[in-house]
Amino acid sequence: MALDLDTVALFVRVAALGNVSAAGRERGLSPATASTRLVQLEGVLGARLLHRTTRRVALTQEGEVFLTQAQTLLAAEAQALASVGQGFAAPQGLLRVSCSSSFARQHISPTLPEFLARYPGISLDFRLTDRVVDLLEEGVDMAIRVGALRDSTLIARKLAANRRTLCASPAYLAAHGAPKHPGDLAQHECLTLGDQRDWRFVTPGGPMSVRVSGRLVSDNGEVLRDAVLAGLGIALKSTWDVAAYLQRGELVPVLPAYPLAEEVAIWAVYPSRVFVPPKTQAMIEFLQARFGPVPYWEAQWPTKAVGRDE
């Protein structure tokens, strides 16, 4: 008996969601019908794919092996459809995207009306969270991540540069002076994001790491932006978050002669697949075009700097 690809797609969603009923609802199936189809799939394969409990399901060893093959089958189907005509390749379907809340509100949310107007076949489930989402576990198609990438199992596409700078308010620098060297930061109030207390610099003598400290630590970048504007200390911020304040002089760059050692970027990440769905590809290309080689928030970057050795 041949495999039914619709049922294979149902199995892949069950594996992602850990719930037969939820996966069935996405495809317009009752829980009973979804369960029956999965049992039929197991019969065709001659193997048990799922451990079922009253609350959730989990993959068996055979299910884990089949999941990889199932994803390849579905990717090949999508690629075959896309190859026979532009109509089949038109981006469509529900696109689940995860993004950090601050970046999303400032730079993604304003673009969504244009994106949805351009791609009427796409529906968006846009999730804002500052935690790192497990894409497969939560059934997310794509995440937009800011910073250094940690998970090597995902495919990453660069959306834009993420230049960072140390900055402070003019009031803070007037009261405490401007550091002349990265080592001077030990005598300053430094506003830190979570446990990111080791700030790394490029110096004439080679790479240098400085352990900083201060009275305010937060896991939210907007809290730190508000704090640095209020004159509470020196912060390490991405220019997409503070460029406007730097341009207006409400914040001032600190230690511009000492570049930060770690290069980071803004990335689109998605699970490794043979074929990237047109809906995911559409969002990636749309954002790349929107941000451009030099992101718009870098326009008219301020030239006045504090802390440079003359």
Side-chain angles (χ1 to χ4, degrees):
M1 185 182 296
L3 288 175
D4 174 44
L5 291 183
D6 283 342
T7 304
V8 172
L10 171 65
F11 164 73
V12 171
R13 290 303 296 152
V14 170
L17 300 175
N19 187 289
V20 174
S21 297
R25 280 195 299 270
E26 288 186 354
R27 308 186 72 79
L29 303 175
S30 69
T33 301
S35 294
T36 298
R37 289 196 178 183
L38 292 169
V39 170
Q40 291 171 342
L41 178 61
E42 291 176 323
V44 171
L45 295 172
R48 187 177 182 184
L49 302 177
L50 302 166
H51 291 300
R52 296 166 174 83
T53 69
T54 55
R55 293 191 174 183
R56 63 176 288 121
V57 297
L59 294 177
T60 63
Q61 185 175 0
E62 292 81 2
E64 292 176 354
V65 172
F66 181 65
L67 177 61
T68 300
Q69 300 303 320
Q71 291 171 326
T72 301
L73 280 172
L74 296 175
E77 179 196 30
Q79 190 169 23
L81 290 174
S83 69
V84 297
Q86 185 63 34
F88 290 106
Q92 58 185 322
L94 177 62
L95 178 63
R96 297 178 178 85
V97 181
S98 171
C99 185
S100 64
S101 56
S102 182
F103 184 78
R105 284 196 294 266
Q106 293 185 55
H107 300 290
I108 304 293
S109 179
T111 74
L112 296 185
E114 180 183 349
F115 178 80
L116 291 172
R118 183 178 301 180
Y119 299 105
I122 295 180
S123 299
L124 278 177
D125 178 353
F126 210 83
R127 307 175 183 184
L128 304 190
T129 177
D130 290 327
R131 64 184 177 85
V132 177
V133 170
D134 185 318
L135 273 61
L136 292 177
E137 179 70 21
E138 301 191 29
V140 173
D141 298 294
M142 183 184 101
I144 298 169
R145 292 183 178 168
V146 179
L149 295 178
R150 309 297 182 194
D151 191 341
S152 61
T153 66
L154 299 175
I155 303 299
R157 295 269 298 277
K158 185 176 178 180
L159 298 178
N162 180 30
R163 189 153 66 106
R164 300 182 302 162
T165 182
L166 295 188
C167 56
S169 70
Y172 175 85
L173 296 174
H176 301 278
K180 300 294 184 181
H181 185 272
D184 297 341
L185 292 170
Q187 283 73 52
H188 282 268
E189 281 287 323
C190 293
L191 310 171
T192 55
L193 182 67
D195 60 357
Q196 298 178 17
R197 294 189 297 151
D198 294 306
W199 293 355
R200 298 175 178 83
F201 299 86
V202 176
T203 75
M208 179 180 183
S209 179
V210 179
R211 173 60 64 96
V212 300
S213 62
R215 296 171 58 205
L216 178 61
V217 177
S218 177
D219 64 354
N220 184 279
E222 291 179 300
V223 170
L224 297 182
R225 186 191 63 214
D226 293 344
V228 72
L229 285 166
L232 297 185
I234 297 173
L236 193 165
K237 297 295 296 176
S238 294
T239 56
W240 59 259
D241 196 21
V242 296
Y245 303 98
L246 289 161
Q247 291 162 12
R248 294 194 296 263
E250 296 175 50
L251 293 176
V252 179
V254 173
L255 293 174
Y258 297 93
L260 292 159
E262 186 179 31
E263 292 187 9
V264 294
I266 299 161
W267 307 91
V269 297
Y270 50 91
S272 177
R273 292 176 179 167
V274 177
F275 176 73
V276 181
K279 60 184 180 180
T280 303
Q281 185 70 25
M283 175 62 83
I284 291 172
E285 293 178 353
F286 175 81
L287 292 176
Q288 286 175 327
R290 170 78 175 179
F291 298 146
V294 179
Y296 57 82
W297 54 80
E298 294 281 354
Q300 299 178 347
W301 176 248
T303 57
K304 183 178 179 180
V306 172
R308 186 186 301 273
D309 293 329
E310 301 295 343

